[in-house]
Amino acid sequence: MNQYQAPKIDIENLWFTFPGNVIALKDVTLQVQPNMIFVLFGPSRGGKSTLLRLLNRLSDLSEGTQRKGIVRFNGQDIFAPTVDVTELRRRLSMVFSTPTPLPGTIAENLTYGLHMAGLRDPQVIEERITRALKQAALWGEVKDRLHTSAFALSGGQKQRLCLARSLALEPDVILLDNPTSGLDPLSTALVEESLNELKQKYTIIMVPHSVQQAARIADRAAFLLDGEVIEVGTRQQIFINPTDTRTEDYVIGRFG
């Protein structure tokens, strides 16, 4: 008998509106189970990135927005007054589409967040750096130049460095907003391979670069259109046997 697993993320009847009554999310209800790659896909302006930003409360930085509904992380309301937003953003860590290394060396990019989190033990910091770079499939390429500028890395390496920077903080959930959009096919394949390894330890919620990438990497997927969740299911259900004609039309390229 399969044992029930409580969802890592539980979203109920979520609405989100930008100034001017521009509705970005319409009554979204989703559950994301632990240790999977959950993909949010669909055409632009569908609400995918807005939903990701809302999950670690980057949406708080936008003035004049309105929100209704519930978002729970490990059973707790992320918008409760008692929530430590800095800690929430560490545990639900965001990696953006454009890699943004910090000024300084490769090592300093990884130690900055650890120091901010209060970590001081040099041995623990070194272990975290090594493990994070290995998890991001970057260790073999940079282990002999950790003290050189992060800006000297290639685009694909910078993106994996940003992923490693997130992993060094040991989050629960990794939020990926189109992380391979500017990468060559080889770098994209390396990132995808890393993600398939990482889901053994982390829960990953990702906005993919394309329908093809979504179909390659998703354990479960949600199709978003104009702020609404049209259909949710396994990779097989969504990309091979969708139940909604709008999902089918988008997957086979009739629009978008």
Side-chain angles (χ1 to χ4, degrees):
M1 181 181 294
N2 291 332
Q3 188 174 6
Y4 171 75
Q5 270 192 308
K8 179 65 68 173
I9 301 289
D10 189 6
I11 302 169
E12 291 183 17
N13 307 118
L14 179 65
W15 291 76
F16 190 78
T17 306
F18 286 111
N21 200 33
V22 177
I23 298 173
L25 296 171
K26 304 176 186 177
D27 202 22
V28 170
T29 294
L30 285 175
Q31 288 188 337
V32 180
Q33 303 302 125
N35 303 107
M36 68 162 51
I37 299 175
F38 192 102
V39 163
L40 306 170
F41 79 104
S44 60
R45 301 186 181 276
K48 308 179 296 295
S49 295
T50 298
L51 182 54
L52 275 192
R53 292 174 65 86
L54 195 144
L55 289 176
N56 80 344
R57 291 189 52 175
L58 282 173
S59 56
D60 292 7
L61 305 176
S62 300
E63 294 184 1
T65 59
Q66 293 185 323
R67 172 188 49 81
K68 292 190 298 183
I70 299 172
V71 181
R72 298 185 185 91
F73 165 56
N74 287 337
Q76 302 298 311
D77 180 1
I78 70 169
F79 290 100
T82 55
V83 168
D84 181 334
V85 177
T86 300
E87 176 64 9
L88 178 76
R89 289 176 181 156
R90 185 194 69 77
R91 297 182 69 191
L92 290 94
S93 185
M94 188 96 166
V95 179
F96 298 96
S97 57
T98 302
T100 52
L102 301 172
T105 67
I106 295 167
E108 286 168 344
N109 265 261
L110 294 162
T111 57
Y112 177 79
L114 297 176
H115 288 156
M116 291 292 289
L119 208 58
R120 293 291 181 266
D121 186 323
Q123 183 177 347
V124 174
I125 289 173
E126 184 178 352
E127 289 171 354
R128 288 273 195 102
I129 288 174
T130 302
R131 181 166 61 248
L133 288 170
K134 286 180 178 178
Q135 288 176 327
L138 190 56
W139 174 251
E141 298 170 39
V142 303
K143 63 182 179 181
D144 297 323
R145 50 176 176 141
L146 294 177
H147 301 291
T148 62
S149 172
F151 292 126
L153 297 173
S154 70
Q157 289 172 330
K158 287 176 182 175
Q159 188 61 282
R160 283 178 281 147
L161 177 65
C162 291
L163 178 58
R165 195 169 65 199
S166 171
L167 294 170
L169 294 170
E170 297 187 341
D172 285 23
V173 178
I174 305 169
L175 307 171
L176 300 172
D177 190 3
N178 212 342
T180 63
S181 61
L183 303 188
D184 60 82
L186 179 58
S187 295
T188 296
L190 285 171
V191 171
E192 291 180 7
E193 186 178 344
S194 298
L195 296 180
N196 275 310
E197 293 290 329
L198 289 169
K199 72 181 181 183
Q200 307 304 320
K201 183 175 181 181
Y202 304 98
T203 302
I204 298 168
I205 305 176
M206 177 175 173
V207 175
H209 174 55
S210 63
V211 173
Q212 292 78 13
Q213 183 177 61
R216 283 195 305 269
I217 203 166
D219 294 306
R220 288 182 65 80
F223 175 54
L224 276 73
L225 182 64
D226 296 330
E228 293 184 75
V229 174
I230 303 302
E231 189 169 353
V232 183
T234 64
R235 174 168 47 195
Q236 175 85 9
Q237 291 168 335
I238 292 291
F239 297 105
I240 297 177
N241 192 30
T243 59
D244 192 290
T245 55
R246 290 168 294 179
T247 309
E248 180 179 6
D249 287 346
Y250 184 73
V251 166
I252 67 176
R254 287 197 179 119
F255 74 96

